[in-house]
Amino acid sequence: MVNRDLNGLSSRIKATFGGPSKIRKSATLVICNMLVSELLNLRNDFARLTALGGTLICSGIISEQSGELRDSLSKAGFEYCVHISRENWVAVKFERF
C-alpha cells in the first residue's frame, strides 16, 4: 500500500510508475526523485507533463548540482521558486510559465 492510500487520497491523487512516455496528460503537480543526470535528460518531458502554471518538484539532487538543474529547467520554461536542503541533498520547486 502506498502513502496515498494510507492517507485516504487514492481518489484525488493518481500515481504513475515508470518513465514519462507512459503519461499522456499534463498535470498541475509533477514530483520526481532522480539524480540530476536523469533529470537533465528528461527536461523536455517535464515541460510536456507539467501544465502551464503547474509545479514541478525535483528531489534526490546532490547540493553541488542544483545550479545546473535550475539553469537547464529555466531554458525549458520553468521558474525556480525555492529549495530545501538536508545534509548534502536538495529538493527544488519550480513553476512552469
Side-chain angles (χ1 to χ4, degrees), residues 2-30:
V2 295
N3 284 340
R4 170 195 66 184
D5 302 329
L6 293 171
N7 289 290
L9 297 171
S10 58
S11 65
R12 296 180 56 199
I13 297 173
K14 180 178 179 181
T16 302
F17 300 95
S21 63
K22 294 185 178 220
I23 304 169
R24 299 288 176 231
K25 292 184 178 182
S26 64
T28 57
L29 176 62
V30 175

Side-chain angles (χ1 to χ4, degrees), residues 9-97:
L9 297 171
S10 58
S11 65
R12 296 180 56 199
I13 297 173
K14 180 178 179 181
T16 302
F17 300 95
S21 63
K22 294 185 178 220
I23 304 169
R24 299 288 176 231
K25 292 184 178 182
S26 64
T28 57
L29 176 62
V30 175
I31 301 170
C32 55
N33 183 27
M34 300 176 183
L35 297 174
V36 167
S37 59
E38 297 166 329
L39 293 169
L40 295 175
N41 288 332
L42 296 174
R43 81 174 188 181
N44 292 330
D45 290 303
F46 294 137
R48 177 180 62 83
L49 295 172
T50 307
L52 287 175
T55 299
L56 170 65
I57 298 174
C58 301
S59 62
I61 301 159
I62 297 171
S63 297
E64 295 81 24
Q65 297 175 329
S66 62
E68 181 181 6
L69 179 66
R70 281 194 302 231
D71 293 344
S72 179
L73 288 178
S74 70
K75 293 174 186 171
F78 288 92
E79 182 177 330
Y80 166 79
C81 296
V82 68
H83 73 274
I84 58 171
S85 302
R86 182 171 292 155
E87 297 178 12
N88 195 35
W89 296 97
V90 176
V92 186
K93 177 184 173 186
F94 297 92
E95 289 185 2
R96 183 161 178 257
F97 56 91

